[in-house]
Amino acid sequence: MTDPLSFSIRVATLDDAARVAALGARLFTQAYGPTHPEPELGRYLARSFGVERMAAELADDATTFFIVQDGTGADIGYAYLRESRARPPAGVVGRRPCEIARFYVEEAWHGRGVAPALMDACVAAARARQADWLWLATWEPALRAQAFYRRMGFEVVGTTKFLFGDVLEDDVLMARRLDR
C-alpha cells in the first residue's frame, strides 16, 4: 500500500518532457494565475512550458530537473537548476554559480517538508557541478517564497526585472554560498 503523505524526488529525463511541461504550467498558474490574468497568462504558458521547449531544456547537459511525486505517484513539485553560462546578474558572485531557474511545490504540500527536501536536492546537484554559489530570482511580492529561501540560507543580493507580457515586473535576486 502506498502512503499518500510520503513523497519522493527524482531526476527528470528527456522522456519526462510532457510531464514537466504540464506540471510547470499547472504550478505556475497556481502561483501566479490570480495576479497575472488572461490572455497574457495563456501566452506565457505556451511560450515557457511547451513540450518542445521542455525537451530542449531537459536535453541540455548544463541543466538538472527534479520532479517530486507523492506516495501515489502524482506530481507535486519540481525544480529546474542550470549552470550560469552567461555572466549572472549584478549581485551574484562566484566563479561557478548555478541558478535555480524554477522551484515550485503544490500549494497543498507547503509546510510538509517537500520544499526543503527539494532545495537539498538542488544544493547537492549544484555542488556536484562544482558550483560555488547558488542563486535565484523571485517575484518581489512573493514574501512567503522569500522567507523560505532565507530559511534555506539565501540572502538578498539585488534586484532584476522580469518581463511578463507587456509588464516589466520587479524580482528579488537571492543567493547563497556553496563552497563552505
Side-chain angles (χ1 to χ4, degrees), residues 1 11 31-32 36 65 72 87 101 109 117 120 122 144:
M1 179 183 274
V11 174
Y32 299 109
H36 293 74
F65 280 77
T72 68
R87 184 182 179 119
W109 284 83
D120 288 347
C122 289
R144 184 174 183 179

Side-chain angles (χ1 to χ4, degrees), residues 3-132:
D3 176 3
L5 298 179
S6 68
F7 64 90
S8 61
I9 300 171
R10 68 175 177 84
V11 174
T13 68
L14 191 54
D15 292 337
D16 292 312
R19 167 180 251 145
V20 172
L23 179 62
R26 179 171 60 85
L27 294 181
F28 187 91
T29 300
Q30 182 182 85
Y32 299 109
T35 55
H36 293 74
E38 294 293 351
E40 190 52 46
L41 177 64
R43 289 191 290 258
Y44 179 82
L45 295 175
R47 282 190 310 270
S48 301
F49 297 103
V51 174
E52 288 179 10
R53 179 170 180 171
M54 289 298 104
E57 291 175 357
L58 282 161
D60 187 340
D61 289 340
T63 69
T64 302
F65 280 77
F66 294 101
I67 295 175
V68 185
Q69 295 174 301
D70 71 10
T72 68
D75 299 331
I76 60 169
Y78 81 107
Y80 167 22
L81 177 80
R82 65 181 167 207
E83 293 177 18
S84 299
R85 289 184 177 144
R87 184 182 179 119
V92 176
V93 296
R95 294 176 328 280
R96 292 185 51 93
C98 270
E99 175 189 11
I100 297 176
R102 298 195 187 275
F103 189 97
Y104 292 95
V105 172
E106 178 82 40
E107 194 171 291
W109 284 83
H110 289 185
R112 296 184 179 191
V114 175
L118 185 56
M119 183 58 73
D120 288 347
C122 289
V123 168
R127 284 186 171 138
R129 290 178 177 277
Q130 300 179 341
D132 55 352

Side-chain angles (χ1 to χ4, degrees), residues 113-166:
V114 175
L118 185 56
M119 183 58 73
D120 288 347
C122 289
V123 168
R127 284 186 171 138
R129 290 178 177 277
Q130 300 179 341
D132 55 352
W133 283 82
L134 188 57
W135 67 278
L136 55 88
T138 186
W139 192 36
E140 192 174 63
L143 299 179
R144 184 174 183 179
Q146 291 171 43
F148 166 74
Y149 296 134
R150 280 188 185 91
R151 286 192 306 276
M152 297 294 103
F154 288 80
E155 297 177 3
V156 174
V157 296
T159 60
T160 190
K161 298 293 185 181
F162 179 80
L163 186 61
F164 187 86
D166 296 331

